[in-house]
């Protein structure tokens, strides 16, 4: 999923308004706003132009920028967003809660969802 927060940050870093970026991408200001707010997804062609114009990698735009190696029965690599790692690091500051998450993550997420009514 496109990371709207990162798109907004990179747009501002380059000094573009939403309208200016839209013109560079051949889309409307409303479309750029939608990408940043997560309510719209660019076409593949627009996505390619977006990463070129903002000089970012597709992985970064998608929120996947940190390689993680997981070893179980097989070795494989995946990517996590910095925001995901921040959540994990914060969770590790609470060992009992972290242990509960490790035991049954889906169950604990369901409990949290019910408590905050998402």
């Amino acid at each position: 999923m496109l990371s709207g927060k990162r798109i907004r940050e990179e747009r501002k870093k380059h000094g573009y308004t939403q309208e200016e970026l839209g013109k560079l991408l051949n889309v409307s200001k409303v479309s750029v706003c939608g990408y940043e707010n997560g309510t719209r997804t660019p076409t593949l062609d627009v996505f390619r132009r977006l990463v070129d114009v903002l000089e970012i990698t597709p992985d970064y735009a998608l929120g996947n920028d940190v390689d993680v190696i997981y070893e179980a029965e097989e070795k494989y690599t995946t990517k996590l967003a910095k925001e995901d790692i921040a959540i994990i690091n914060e969770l590790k500051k609470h060992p009992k809660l972290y242990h509960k998450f490790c035991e049954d993550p889906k169950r604990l997420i369901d409990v949290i969802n019910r408590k905050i009514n998402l």
Side-chain angles (χ1 to χ4, degrees):
M1 179 182 293
L2 187 67
S3 174
K5 177 181 175 189
R6 290 180 178 190
I7 300 304
R8 180 179 294 115
E9 288 172 356
E10 292 299 321
R11 172 181 59 78
K12 289 181 177 182
K13 199 182 293 183
H14 282 77
Y16 298 135
T17 64
Q18 288 178 336
E19 187 171 353
E20 290 168 335
L21 181 57
K23 285 180 182 176
L24 292 170
L25 301 176
N26 295 321
V27 299
S28 68
K29 173 187 172 185
V30 172
S31 291
V32 172
C33 181
Y35 305 153
E36 292 181 358
N37 291 328
T39 58
R40 286 192 180 196
T41 302
T43 65
L44 182 56
D45 287 337
V46 172
F47 179 73
R48 286 180 177 161
R49 287 193 303 271
L50 179 68
V51 297
D52 285 344
V53 167
L54 296 180
E55 300 172 327
I56 57 177
T57 66
D59 274 337
Y60 183 78
L62 295 170
N64 303 321
D65 60 335
V66 178
D67 289 326
V68 177
I69 298 173
Y70 174 74
E71 293 183 36
E73 295 172 16
E74 300 179 23
K75 286 186 178 182
Y76 71 90
T77 303
T78 189
K79 294 194 179 270
L80 289 176
K82 289 179 183 177
E83 295 85 355
D84 295 336
I85 292 174
I87 291 168
I88 293 167
N89 286 334
E90 190 61 36
L91 186 56
K92 283 185 171 185
K93 293 177 185 177
H94 306 276
K96 288 181 182 179
L97 185 58
Y98 181 76
H99 181 68
K100 287 281 189 192
F101 262 105
C102 291
E103 285 177 355
D104 193 350
K106 183 183 180 329
R107 181 178 169 274
L108 199 50
I109 292 296
D110 289 343
V111 168
I112 292 169
N113 271 330
R114 282 192 304 271
K115 290 286 184 187
I116 61 175
N117 298 316
L118 285 180

